[in-house]
Amino acid sequence: DGRARHDDDDDDEEEVEHNLHHVMASPTAQMEALVAALQDPDTRENALLDLSKKRDMFADLAPTLWFSFGVVPALLQEIVAIYPLLNPPSLTNHASNRVCNALALLQCVASHPDTRGLFLAAHIPLFLYPFLNTVSKTRPFEYLRLTSLGVIGALVKMDDTEVINFLLSTEIIPLCLRTMELGSELSKTVATFIVQKILSDEVGLSYICATAERCYAVGTVLGGMVTQLAEQPSVRLLKHIIRCYLRLSDNPRARECLRQCFPDQLRDPAFTAYLKDDVATQKWLVQLLMQLN
């Protein structure tokens, strides 16, 4: 009996070795094995971690994730599972890391030209909005917001009017403005980048400048951020703020709004001195001040 059990153990070890060898054999085989592991709740957590770490190794990861049976529902299950932890805020580091690994895979799908349109058509970004609505400043929540913004950031990076139209049909602007007011420096930077990319599209600029209220809402938040930067300078954040202002100043209605709520700090050489190494941003600021004057 002992020998038989020993033989079974040997067989199991051989099978594991064979599977490992197969998985190590090629990146495609490795990717397919990990994607298959997402379908099983028992192996999903490790597969999420491995795939999110190695996602840059696999060129076809996005289509494989999207078109493999049951994988996108599994990723959405990971997202929906933590909704109850959002309010009252009880999200742990472990739960935050796990869902952020799922979000990293969705970012991969959002970035790929073959899956981006399908991702939008399925309204997947809406599943992330409850995360952007949170206000807790703890690390698990901050990481969750930042990773969720990363998915939206990946969409707007593509300079695709279809993406902008989709986002404008949702509540993305108020959610970004909220993060720009309350988030960490990194979250603020990504949220401001998203608003900048929306403004850079004609459709986005027209939308934000359609009413004086919208212009003031954006202008007020940008102004508040500049005031905060007086205490905690950040070149990368200021760069995106100036780009937003510059784009708004292309619109006559927004120009009028900005003249009334433009922060004095941006006219103060002492404040803008820390841009001295960023020639492009200095140039945008000069252009902005000329357009407002």
Side-chain angles (χ1 to χ4, degrees), residues 2-284:
R3 194 165 65 246
R5 196 161 60 242
H6 187 67
D7 289 346
D8 283 349
D9 288 348
D10 284 350
D11 289 346
D12 287 348
E13 278 178 27
E14 274 177 32
E15 190 181 345
V16 168
E17 269 182 36
H18 172 74
N19 288 344
L20 272 176
H21 178 72
H22 177 65
V23 165
M24 301 302 285
S26 77
T28 304
Q30 197 176 354
M31 174 185 73
E32 286 170 354
L34 287 169
V35 170
L38 290 174
Q39 296 163 357
D40 181 348
D42 295 334
T43 53
R44 186 178 299 157
E45 185 170 4
N46 286 335
L48 283 170
L49 181 61
D50 273 1
L51 276 170
S52 65
K53 276 184 184 166
K54 297 173 180 170
R55 62 189 188 273
D56 295 336
M57 286 168 47
F58 308 132
D60 292 331
L61 179 57
T64 306
L65 289 168
W66 188 265
F67 293 109
S68 295
F69 177 79
V71 168
V72 173
L75 296 176
L76 294 180
Q77 220 169 13
E78 290 293 314
I79 288 171
V80 173
I82 65 159
Y83 286 172
L85 307 179
L86 302 181
N87 195 17
S90 49
L91 185 65
T92 60
N93 274 324
H94 176 256
S96 176
N97 290 341
R98 176 169 172 160
V99 73
C100 286
N101 288 334
L103 290 171
L105 298 185
L106 288 178
Q107 179 171 334
C108 179
V109 175
S111 305
H112 197 287
D114 294 348
T115 48
R116 186 168 66 243
L118 299 164
F119 183 81
L120 288 179
H123 290 195
I124 306 279
L126 299 183
F127 284 89
L128 279 49
Y129 286 10
F131 302 157
L132 299 179
N133 243 327
T134 58
V135 290
S136 170
K137 297 278 180 94
T138 62
R139 185 205 165 277
F141 278 95
E142 189 49 49
Y143 185 42
L144 179 62
R145 280 191 295 269
L146 183 60
T147 313
S148 303
L149 287 166
V151 179
I152 310 296
L155 282 171
V156 296
K157 248 185 193 153
M158 303 302 159
D159 295 321
D160 179 345
T161 298
E162 184 196 354
V163 168
I164 304 302
N165 277 321
F166 171 81
L167 291 175
L168 292 176
S169 73
T170 71
E171 58 190 303
I172 194 63
I173 302 278
L175 287 171
C176 281
L177 293 179
R178 183 178 191 152
T179 305
M180 287 156 70
E181 284 182 302
L182 302 171
S184 67
E185 187 249 344
L186 203 48
S187 285
K188 284 179 175 178
T189 304
V190 182
T192 310
F193 168 76
I194 292 167
V195 170
Q196 177 199 318
K197 293 301 274 184
I198 290 171
L199 283 168
S200 69
D201 190 288
E202 284 302 327
V203 171
L205 182 66
S206 302
Y207 176 89
I208 287 176
C209 299
T211 69
E213 287 77 15
R214 286 180 194 167
C215 286
Y216 276 117
V218 175
T220 304
V221 170
L222 290 170
M225 289 167 80
V226 171
T227 305
Q228 288 173 346
L229 285 178
E231 293 151 35
Q232 294 175 307
S234 162
V235 173
R236 100 183 129 179
L237 179 51
L238 185 57
K239 179 163 119 179
H240 292 302
I241 292 171
I242 289 171
R243 290 288 298 273
C244 286
Y245 272 132
L246 182 59
R247 181 59 174 150
L248 282 167
S249 72
D250 288 340
N251 178 279
R253 173 180 275 144
R255 254 199 317 275
E256 278 315 303
C257 286
L258 290 183
R259 284 185 182 127
Q260 293 166 50
C261 64
F262 192 72
D264 294 335
Q265 289 93 331
L266 289 182
R267 301 183 193 277
D268 177 1
F271 176 79
T272 55
Y274 69 93
L275 288 175
K276 64 181 186 302
D277 298 327
D278 191 333
V279 179
T281 305
Q282 279 182 318
K283 197 174 78 187
W284 292 325

